[in-house]
Amino acid sequence: ETALLQMVGRAARNVNGEAIFYADKVTPAMQSAIDTTNYRREKQQAYNLKNNKVPISARGSEIKSIFDIFREEMNVEELGSDVEWSRSRKVKVTQPVTTPRPALDPTLEELTYNLPAKTGIYMWKTERDGETLYIGKAKNLNSRCKSYLTGKDERPRINGMMKRVKWVEYILTPTEQDALNLEAKLINLHQPPYNVALKDDFSFPYIVARVSDELPRFERVPKKPPPSYQTDGYEYYGPYSTSQEADRILKTIEDDYNLRKLAFEAKNGENRKEATAKYLQEFENCRAVLFESEESHISTTRVDLLFDEEVNKSRDVIGLVPINPKSPRDVLVRICQLRKGIYRGERDFQFRLPPGLSEEEREHELGLILFKALERHYQDPQEEVSTIPFSFLPESILTMLPLSSENAKEVRRMFKVHPLRETVGPPNVRSLQKRGRNKNTDAVAMQFVVDNLEATAQEVREIMPLSLEQRGTTKKMIAERSKSLKDLLNLPSAPSRIECYDVSHSQGDFSTCSRVVFIDGKPEKSLYRIFNIKSFSGNDDYRSLTEVLERRFKRAYEDTEKDGGEWSVPDLVVIDGGKGQLNAACKGLRASGVGVFGVDDSSGGIVVPICALAKKNEEVYAYNSNSDSPLVPLNDSPDNPGVLMLRQIRDESHRFAITRMRQRRRRSFLEDSEVV
């Protein structure tokens, strides 16, 4: 009921102030939400009448169909024979925009357990667009955030916070130092109530060379001043991860060059002129060898901070990745906004490439896609730019691939006619530098975009497993895949119940075989089973499959339920493996008294269709009357809709087998520890 009320509260209204939803039936929770909404509306109308308040629409009173609204939300445009789809989001005024999530809100446990095991910062929030309660950093976001859900933290502050938490967001960073820096800046920006540290200014230390002094010297400073406060007499090196690291470098300088003793002799010695000349020579040698040489072991200890580099103070970085590497026509584009050392927002687009492109043509099209994304971003910012609490237009734009000279000029022209053109001049538009002082900075900034974009692409793959023209309702998609699978395997009808088997072990120990069951294209987890290998010990996938298939189908005769029973006969058996695994599984079928479809059809008994899916090239093998031999792959593409269904089931079986094998290994380890 609470979720329904939140959804109603956020929904768009028609001219009568009504939100329209479609459902097959009205559940008690829905009726309660309707009654509560009506009660709230009556109270609001009474208040408006009493206080002479008139509601004002932010977008006017135009009436649009649900299909027009959906089309605008998806931002679908026809581009010749191709389709371009933009899934963009508004830049938040008070919160940084992070990786997008599916439209239906998952639970906090699902969000947390699906976080990437990478370095970054995490933000606990009251809801998707709610208050940020806590900001932290982690070397492994997945394990760190899951630790909050165990309930083992006895600190009252943390327990009180987790009672309010309903959402978690994350930002991946290139290094742990970047995570530390971004965490500090976001804490200073948002002041989360449950953060007790880092609410004051935070920075990384630098080493400064005071070259304008009569006797120049090195010293540690807590931070690097803004460019407007810097003078020619100071050269800054760094930043460094800790003050101790900077002090260690200063000690190395003293041990190797003995500058302190030389400075004393230059000030108090008998031959001060000669001592001063020697000191200056050693000082310059030290600068050249330790700080300005790329081979220096000290220069490699500095932190290439993404959020502290001057070049990233006002910069938009645009990159792209394929949504599915095996089908690279659909690409995801992201424009990342870096302002004043803080990651302030992002905007995503999805584009589709034309088929049959050569490598040269593909690179040209990708450059054109980057230009289209920039054009749409600056001409249609999705929010009133005057309300954004930072400069919308950047001073520079970094692109993953070079734009053509005409497109780069067009981007600069857009800035000249933009309503905010007075705040910033035409930007410096360029691609990644392959040499020069900005080479590392460019690489770090682009890697930051790519890492976060790949995490988003993973989520998009889960939401949109098919290409744009194949995408439709779930039932239609499943029906299409089932029909394709029927035609591929020459089955008499589309399979409804499909079982998949996968063998897993740990270096020959703890061998298990998993069975997952999909009914009408959806997993039926109540029918998942794990078979422990009993007839032998060691690692032999073929013997394991033979044993498990024989045991499983002997039980089919004992199952009294024809449809939906635990051991009822499936419409299709899938084996994770190749030709050898298929033959071993068929041997187990026959040992149980069940025949193989396509081979034993004339036996008069039960026959079961069976196939194998080899992971290397996603090839399907089966005993099929359309094929002369099971050794010949039946499919010519890994993206065949029927093969996509097999891949989905195979991946679920592999996940289930690995999880249970690890649990068994952990349990065995604990039992052995108790014996010791």
Side-chain angles (χ1 to χ4, degrees):
E1 179 183 346
T2 301
L4 287 171
L5 287 172
Q6 292 176 346
M7 182 170 64
V8 172
R10 297 171 183 169
R13 300 296 202 273
N14 62 13
V15 291
N16 299 318
E18 297 172 334
I20 302 175
F21 296 89
Y22 295 86
D24 295 331
K25 61 180 181 179
V26 178
T27 64
M30 293 169 61
Q31 186 60 54
S32 177
I34 293 172
D35 295 340
T36 302
T37 302
N38 290 333
Y39 171 74
R40 292 178 176 179
R41 180 182 293 117
E42 291 173 0
K43 289 191 64 176
Q44 182 66 54
Q45 290 173 344
Y47 174 84
N48 293 345
L49 183 62
K50 180 180 178 181
N51 296 276
N52 296 322
K53 301 290 185 181
V54 179
I56 299 175
S57 172
R59 296 188 58 185
S61 58
E62 59 179 350
I63 301 177
K64 297 184 179 180
S65 71
I66 186 67
F67 305 103
D68 292 333
I69 296 173
F70 180 76
R71 188 178 297 110
E72 287 186 358
E73 180 67 21
M74 296 293 289
N75 199 8
V76 177
E77 295 181 1
E78 294 291 339
L79 298 179
S81 60
D82 300 306
V83 177
E84 173 188 358
W85 178 71
S86 166
R87 51 188 293 277
S88 58
R89 297 173 299 119
K90 294 182 178 180
V91 178
K92 306 299 180 184
V93 175
T94 58
Q95 302 290 338
V97 182
T98 54
T99 50
R101 299 287 182 181
L104 297 178
D105 288 356
T107 65
L108 180 63
E109 289 74 14
E110 291 173 336
L111 283 172
T112 304
Y113 279 78
N114 288 325
L115 291 176
K118 295 182 178 180
T119 300
I121 64 107
Y122 57 92
M123 293 172 284
W124 293 117
K125 307 180 74 173
T126 55
E127 55 185 79
R128 184 195 292 260
D129 296 322
E131 178 188 6
T132 299
L133 300 176
Y134 182 84
I135 299 175
K137 66 181 183 304
K139 185 176 182 179
N140 186 320
L141 287 169
N142 186 281
S143 60
R144 181 70 183 96
C145 290
K146 283 194 297 187
S147 68
Y148 283 87
L149 304 182
T150 61
K152 296 181 180 180
D153 196 322
E154 299 179 355
R155 291 176 292 176
R157 177 174 60 89
I158 298 300
N159 291 332
M161 178 188 74
M162 294 309 296
K163 290 178 181 179
R164 300 179 59 191
V165 168
K166 295 293 185 294
W167 195 261
V168 61
E169 291 183 348
Y170 67 90
I171 302 174
L172 301 180
T173 58
T175 64
E176 294 179 56
Q177 288 80 10
D178 279 311
L180 179 64
N181 196 12
L182 181 58
E183 176 200 29
K185 291 179 178 295
L186 291 179
I187 288 175
N188 288 329
L189 179 66
H190 300 295
Q191 297 288 307
Y194 289 92
N195 282 96
V196 297
L198 292 177
K199 288 190 178 181
D200 53 356
D201 288 338
F202 174 83
S203 60
F204 287 91
Y206 282 75
I207 292 178
V208 60
R210 303 181 59 164
V211 295
S212 61
D213 292 359
E214 182 181 356
L215 290 178
R217 65 181 187 274
F218 298 103
E219 62 182 24
R220 172 171 59 84
V221 293
K223 62 181 179 180
K224 185 179 181 179
S228 58
Y229 289 91
Q230 296 178 20
T231 63
D232 296 337
Y234 295 83
E235 297 289 341
Y236 292 89
Y237 304 104
Y240 298 96
S241 56
T242 63
S243 297
Q244 291 78 8
E245 179 67 21
D247 290 340
R248 185 189 65 80
I249 294 174
L250 292 176
K251 185 177 184 302
T252 301
I253 292 173
E254 182 59 33
D255 292 341
D256 292 349
Y257 294 91
N258 205 14
L259 294 180
R260 187 177 302 172
K261 180 180 178 181
L262 292 176
F264 180 83
E265 293 178 354
K267 292 179 180 180
N268 306 299
E270 295 180 357
N271 193 345
R272 298 181 184 180
K273 185 176 181 180
E274 181 179 345
T276 299
K278 185 175 181 181
Y279 176 88
L280 294 176
Q281 181 181 359
E282 288 297 307
F283 181 86
E284 291 301 326
N285 289 341
C286 177
R287 285 181 62 195
V289 174
L290 295 186
F291 292 106
E292 298 176 0
S293 171
E294 294 185 0
E295 291 77 17
S296 169
H297 70 282
I298 286 182
S299 65
T300 60
T301 63
R302 67 176 297 276
V303 183
D304 283 317
L305 287 177
L306 172 66
F307 305 105
D308 258 2
E309 294 287 351
E310 292 180 12
V311 72
N312 287 331
K313 292 298 183 182
S314 177
R315 193 183 210 188
D316 281 356
V317 184
I318 179 171
L320 56 81
V321 298
I323 294 179
N324 187 346
K326 295 183 179 179
S327 180
R329 284 188 61 194
D330 292 320
V331 295
L332 194 61
V333 181
R334 170 164 296 175
I335 300 175
C336 175
Q337 297 166 304
L338 301 175
R339 300 291 189 275
K340 296 183 179 180
I342 300 180
Y343 166 67
R344 296 306 300 260
E346 66 194 25
R347 189 174 177 189
D348 293 347
F349 300 90
Q350 183 176 326
F351 292 87
R352 158 157 279 223
L353 290 168
L357 296 177
S358 64
E359 285 298 324
E360 183 178 354
E361 292 172 334
R362 176 181 173 82
E363 185 170 349
H364 176 267
E365 287 294 325
L366 291 177
L368 184 60
I369 282 175
L370 294 180
F371 167 71
K372 288 181 179 179
L374 290 171
E375 184 180 41
R376 181 176 301 176
H377 174 63
Y378 296 121
Q379 293 184 350
D380 182 19
Q382 296 294 306
E383 181 155 343
E384 183 60 42
V385 294
S386 61
T387 65
I388 300 176
F390 58 87
S391 173
F392 177 72
L393 299 180
E395 295 177 2
S396 65
I397 300 174
L398 178 66
T399 63
M400 176 180 281
L401 299 172
L403 303 183
S404 66
S405 58
E406 294 80 6
N407 290 338
K409 290 180 181 178
E410 179 62 21
V411 172
R412 288 190 283 270
R413 189 199 65 80
M414 285 190 292
F415 275 56
K416 292 180 179 179
V417 299
H418 198 278
L420 297 179
R421 60 185 180 276
E422 296 179 358
T423 62
V424 64
N428 175 22
V429 183
R430 62 176 180 82
S431 58
L432 295 168
Q433 284 192 359
K434 297 183 179 180
R435 61 179 64 88
R437 63 187 184 90
N438 290 328
K439 173 184 175 182
N440 292 337
T441 304
D442 288 356
V444 170
M446 189 58 66
Q447 191 61 45
F448 167 74
V449 174
V450 170
D451 287 345
N452 283 275
L453 198 50
E454 287 179 343
T456 303
Q458 173 65 30
E459 296 179 357
V460 174
R461 283 198 295 270
E462 296 172 358
I463 302 170
M464 303 179 299
L466 294 179
S467 58
L468 288 171
E469 70 271 10
Q470 292 174 309
R471 193 178 310 129
T473 62
T474 303
K475 291 183 179 180
K476 181 180 178 181
M477 179 185 69
I478 293 174
E480 180 183 358
R481 289 183 170 188
S482 299
K483 182 179 182 303
S484 175
L485 189 58
K486 166 185 172 294
D487 296 339
L488 179 67
L489 300 177
N490 194 31
L491 302 177
S493 61
S496 174
R497 172 169 173 152
I498 303 177
E499 297 182 0
C500 183
Y501 294 84
D502 178 35
V503 176
S504 179
H505 60 86
S506 176
Q507 298 180 348
D509 297 327
F510 311 109
S511 293
T512 59
C513 182
S514 69
R515 180 192 80 170
V516 301
V517 181
F518 276 57
I519 297 179
D520 294 332
K522 298 181 179 179
E524 188 63 46
K525 294 191 177 183
S526 63
L527 298 179
Y528 284 17
R529 293 293 179 269
I530 286 291
F531 295 85
N532 293 325
I533 307 304
K534 299 179 178 179
S535 62
F536 68 97
S537 60
N539 173 25
D540 191 331
D541 287 2
Y542 297 161
R543 291 180 61 185
S544 299
L545 285 169
T546 300
E547 175 190 330
V548 169
L549 269 294
E550 179 181 358
R551 287 164 52 190
R552 182 263 178 269
F553 281 95
K554 280 183 177 179
R555 295 184 182 182
Y557 290 102
E558 303 171 3
D559 198 319
T560 57
E561 297 184 50
K562 293 184 179 180
D563 296 316
E566 181 179 2
W567 305 109
S568 59
V569 177
D571 299 316
L572 176 65
V573 172
V574 182
I575 304 299
D576 181 13
K579 296 166 284 188
Q581 284 82 357
L582 175 63
N583 290 328
C586 291
K587 182 178 178 182
L589 275 178
R590 294 191 177 102
S592 69
V594 175
V596 177
F597 176 79
V599 178
D600 304 323
D601 298 350
S602 60
S603 62
I606 300 176
V607 293
V608 175
I610 183 171
C611 68
L613 180 62
K615 191 169 186 178
K616 183 176 181 180
N617 296 314
E618 306 294 1
E619 296 173 335
V620 179
Y621 297 92
Y623 289 94
N624 192 302
S625 58
N626 282 347
S627 178
D628 297 333
S629 169
L631 303 180
V632 178
L634 300 180
N635 61 310
D636 55 3
S637 170
D639 296 323
N640 176 291
V643 179
L644 288 176
M645 174 176 277
L646 294 180
R647 289 166 57 184
Q648 178 187 7
I649 299 172
R650 186 271 317 279
D651 292 344
E652 172 65 6
S653 176
H654 184 68
R655 180 202 65 79
F656 183 59
I658 291 294
T659 301
R660 290 307 176 90
M661 182 273 295
R662 288 174 176 170
Q663 291 176 352
R664 186 182 176 194
R665 183 178 59 188
R666 189 180 304 113
R667 185 165 56 249
S668 175
F669 173 77
L670 293 175
E671 291 173 355
D672 293 343
S673 300
E674 292 175 0
V675 172
V676 173

